């Protein structure tokens, strides 16, 4: 096992001042294990003519015209994973299962690109036009059965290219499972099409027409510091959600300065209560809605500050108040997403 790099022993403050190009990261360790697992799944389906190449970049993505996958730097070393969590409160693909889910999705983009699948008429009829403008946001419909559900946030609904990649990711799993899961759904037609299409590709002996091995936005020449990277990322995520209105907080907490329990003791402040449940609330709402954990946390911080200004106090049972708070933040988040403000991250 190679020795740990010197920067891995730095505290957060010093590590944040390191440049990407100085980290000298490679796809190895647990990240390599996940990539090899993807390759094994593709080979098990007979897809051996394309093995998407991978490299380390700032975020997850598969570039247009290149059948490869950029992997985020924060998965390339445990120390960087801890830094990502401390800075952004969550790690996209941070568990083996979550990482593999994203890899399967990105592999879908790679096959689409390598074989120019989006040029086929059945593809356009089922998924839509690949060339349609890519939205900055989209309006998900959680109840729709026209799309598979794989990544959070109903990501298949973002764009025809994402619909195909999500469908491919589901297809790459257990055939028995997806046939049962999507029985009676219009989305099953897409899965069956991908099943036929991949069988066709598996039977081909020639290499795919698009074979570029370029690695856009690799970290080798990136002189940006981690501090600069996270400053920009936080500004992006923090600006994605509107302020809560006072009415929402006043429905949950009391502004009556005389409020007290049956023993005459003043109940805890709403700010203290929200601070206590903040980690669980952030985690649950982010997982349910697909919204960024950092974004949810910024909203909760604003709620806490506003609760202080309004001098709000807990006026109901804490268990009920926690359930109500979770529902309130979830509903507000869903309303925001339904209004068309879902950020496109992958």
């Amino acid at each position: 096992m190679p020795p740990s790099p010197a920067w891995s022993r730095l505290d957060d403050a010093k590590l944040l001042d390191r440049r990407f190009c100085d980290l000298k990261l490679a796809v190895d360790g647990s990240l390599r294990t996940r990539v090899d697992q993807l390759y094994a799944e593709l080979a098990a389906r007979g897809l051996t003519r394309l093995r998407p190449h991978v490299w380390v970049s700032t975020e997850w993505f598969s570039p247009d015209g290149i059948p490869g996958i950029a992997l985020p730097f924060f998965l390339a070393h445990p120390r960087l994973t801890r830094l990502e969590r401390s800075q952004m409160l969550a790690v996209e693909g941070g568990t083996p299962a979550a990482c593999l889910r994203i890899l399967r999705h990105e592999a879908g983009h790679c096959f689409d690109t390598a074989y120019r699948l989006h040029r086929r008429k059945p593809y356009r009829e089922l998924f839509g036009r690949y060339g349609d403008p890519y939205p900055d946001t989209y309006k998900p419909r959680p109840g729709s059965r026209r799309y598979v559900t794989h990544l959070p946030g109903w990501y298949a609904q973002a764009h025809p290219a994402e619909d195909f990649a999500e469908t491919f990711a589901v297809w790459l799993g257990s055939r028995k499972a997806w046939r049962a899961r999507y029985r009676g759904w219009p989305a099953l037609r897409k899965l069956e099409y991908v099943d036929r299409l991949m069988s066709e590709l598996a039977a081909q002996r020639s290499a795919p027409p698009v074979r570029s091995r370029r690695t856009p936005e690799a970290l080798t020449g990136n002189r940006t510091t981690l501090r600069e990277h996270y400053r920009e990322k936080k500004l992006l995520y923090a600006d994605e959600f509107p302020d809560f209105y006072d009415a929402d907080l006043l429905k949950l907490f009391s502004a009556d300065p005389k409020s007290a329990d049956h023993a005459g003791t003043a109940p805890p402040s709403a700010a203290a209560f929200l601070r206590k449940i903040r980690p669980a609330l952030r985690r649950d709402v982010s997982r349910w809605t697909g919204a960024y954990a950092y974004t949810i946390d910024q909203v909760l911080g604003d709620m806490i500050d506003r609760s202080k200004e309004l001098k709000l106090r807990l006026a109901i049972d804490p268990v009920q108040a926690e359930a109500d708070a979770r529902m309130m933040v979830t509903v507000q988040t869903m309303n925001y997403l339904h209004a068309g403000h879902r950020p496109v991250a992958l």
Side-chain angles (χ1 to χ4, degrees), residues 89 95 111 117 120 154 169 189 219 221 226 241 261 274 294:
L89 307 174
T95 66
F111 275 82
L117 301 178
R120 301 188 179 207
W154 307 277
R189 289 184 57 216
L219 299 185
L226 293 171
F241 210 95
D261 62 19
L274 289 172
Y294 185 81

Side-chain angles (χ1 to χ4, degrees), residues 218-250:
L219 299 185
T220 307
N222 190 331
R223 300 172 67 84
T224 302
T225 66
L226 293 171
R227 188 182 303 280
E228 292 167 338
H229 166 77
Y230 281 117
R231 183 183 299 121
E232 293 181 5
K233 191 171 182 177
K234 288 178 179 179
L235 285 173
L236 173 65
Y237 287 10
D239 193 40
E240 288 173 350
F241 210 95
D243 293 337
F244 274 78
Y245 296 105
D246 291 354
D248 296 311
L249 294 171
L250 290 169

Side-chain angles (χ1 to χ4, degrees), residues 250-324:
L250 290 169
K251 289 177 183 177
L252 183 59
F253 303 110
S254 174
D256 184 357
K258 298 180 180 180
S259 62
D261 62 19
H262 65 277
T265 303
S269 69
F273 174 75
L274 289 172
R275 276 196 299 270
K276 181 179 179 181
I277 66 172
R278 184 175 185 172
L281 204 60
R282 177 183 66 227
R283 180 190 64 242
D284 291 346
V285 175
S286 177
R287 184 177 71 248
W288 294 338
T289 66
Y292 295 114
Y294 185 81
T295 305
I296 298 297
D297 192 70
Q298 296 303 296
V299 171
L300 291 172
D302 290 343
M303 289 175 63
I304 290 170
D305 291 341
R306 188 55 181 156
S307 294
K308 288 180 183 177
E309 294 172 359
L310 296 175
K311 299 180 180 180
L312 300 179
R313 290 194 172 274
L314 189 64
I316 60 176
D317 177 74
V319 175
Q320 183 61 50
E322 181 173 353
D324 290 348

